Amino acid sequence: MITIKSSREIEFMKQAGEIVGNTHRYLEKYIQPGITTKELDHLAEEFILKSGATPSFKNLYGFPGCICISINEEVVHGIPGKRKLKNGDIITLDIGACYKGYHGDSAWTYAVGEISKEKEKLMKETEEALFEGLSVIKEGAHLGDIGAAVESYALEHHLGVVKELTGHGIGSSVHEDPDVPNYGTKGTGPVLKAGMTIAVEPMLNLGTADVFILDDDWTIVTADNLPSAHYEHTVLVTKDGYTILTKR
Ligand code: MG
Ligand code: MG
């Protein structure tokens, strides 16, 4: 069931989203060669708690970190640990925060130092694909319109669209109905209504769309080891468009 949020619920989700956006801004300046992903995870936890929220992903389905940190060929669900960032890496921080029982969720890919032209292109185009997907959202649009917009942009730019993972409804749970795939057909799927809150999150690969899961049972990586990028916003559907709740 896709829930319609009350104005009170939307207020909490705005606050949760703002905390997520602020956490991204706070962490961005620490993304430098030499820092470990565990250190970034600690900084995120401290910041989220200080903001009066809790990290949504800590222990979610048993996840061992507070935020997901995925480097280069890692698509999603990277576990924070001893790995140090290196010049030329790209790193995705996927951050969730829960405020008064409501969640915000946003992922963003960042460059570490100087990166290759290919990685730069991948990042720019994946961010663009997110906004292509968002651009079709308004009351009366179909869910399939979002995936169709993301997919056609991605294919036009010769990027691999990860299909095993999707965006999602979000509210008092991080993951609610509906699934929001990054592929689809215009005019199909549920009709969007004002008051729905969804997370749109293209995960696009420089090479093949195929992915597999590492032995840690969490980290999803590209099958050809080429880099992947991931951009996500939590948004509120409105009468004539959408409002980004996780603005940075
Ligand atoms: Mg996320
Ligand atoms: Mg999400």
Side-chain angles (χ1 to χ4, degrees), residues 57 94-95 105-107 168 201 230 232:
F57 305 148
D94 193 351
I95 301 176
D105 183 7
S106 172
H168 48 91
E201 48 179 314
H230 180 197
E232 173 184 31

Side-chain angles (χ1 to χ4, degrees), residues 1-242:
M1 194 188 62
I2 309 176
T3 58
I4 306 285
K5 270 71 178 183
S6 68
S7 51
R8 181 173 169 275
E9 290 179 300
I10 289 165
E11 209 36 61
F12 292 151
M13 291 197 65
K14 277 186 180 159
Q15 309 244 28
E18 195 178 308
I19 292 166
V20 171
N22 289 344
T23 309
H24 269 288
R25 283 221 320 261
Y26 172 71
L27 289 179
E28 190 169 9
K29 56 181 175 286
Y30 291 99
I31 298 175
Q32 301 286 348
I35 193 165
T36 68
T37 54
K38 189 77 205 165
E39 287 170 312
L40 287 171
D41 194 60
H42 278 315
L43 289 166
E45 179 166 33
E46 256 174 29
F47 188 88
I48 291 168
L49 293 175
K50 234 195 287 171
S51 308
T54 53
S56 301
F57 305 148
K58 193 175 185 178
N59 297 321
L60 182 67
Y61 316 119
F63 184 71
C66 288
I67 62 173
C68 300
I69 305 183
S70 308
I71 301 173
N72 298 332
E73 76 284 359
E74 298 173 353
V75 181
V76 287
H77 304 162
I79 301 172
K82 289 186 192 136
R83 182 167 174 181
K84 283 184 177 162
L85 300 189
K86 290 202 310 277
N87 186 52
D89 285 341
I90 57 171
I91 176 181
T92 299
L93 305 182
D94 193 351
I95 301 176
C98 180
Y99 179 79
K100 298 205 169 157
Y102 288 83
H103 297 270
D105 183 7
S106 172
W108 215 259
T109 302
Y110 300 90
V112 183
E114 289 277 313
I115 60 168
S116 68
K117 283 272 169 288
E118 289 80 10
K119 283 178 171 171
E120 221 168 77
K121 167 183 153 29
L122 172 70
M123 285 174 60
K124 180 177 158 281
E125 291 174 352
T126 308
E127 181 179 352
E128 193 57 41
L130 166 63
F131 285 96
E132 287 289 313
L134 295 178
S135 70
V136 300
I137 295 176
K138 61 175 180 191
E139 177 155 281
H142 288 262
L143 192 73
D145 300 351
I146 302 171
V150 171
E151 186 180 31
S152 70
Y153 181 89
L155 296 181
E156 212 176 288
H157 291 83
H158 311 289
L159 298 172
V161 180
V162 176
K163 297 212 165 68
E164 286 83 349
L165 300 142
T166 69
H168 48 91
I170 177 168
S172 54
S173 300
V174 190
H175 298 126
E176 296 185 351
D177 284 343
D179 284 347
V180 184
N182 294 306
Y183 58 92
T185 310
K186 244 180 124 170
T188 64
V191 174
L192 301 178
K193 294 197 180 79
M196 288 178 176
T197 43
I198 56 175
V200 179
E201 48 179 314
M203 290 148 262
L204 302 182
N205 302 342
L206 200 56
T208 178
D210 296 341
V211 296
F212 68 91
I213 188 160
L214 293 184
D215 287 341
D216 64 14
D217 280 338
W218 278 106
T219 315
I220 309 270
V221 297
T222 58
D224 57 8
N225 235 35
L226 288 176
S228 183
H230 180 197
Y231 290 81
E232 173 184 31
H233 270 313
T234 297
V235 302
L236 167 71
V237 179
T238 63
K239 288 265 178 242
D240 43 2
Y242 64 94

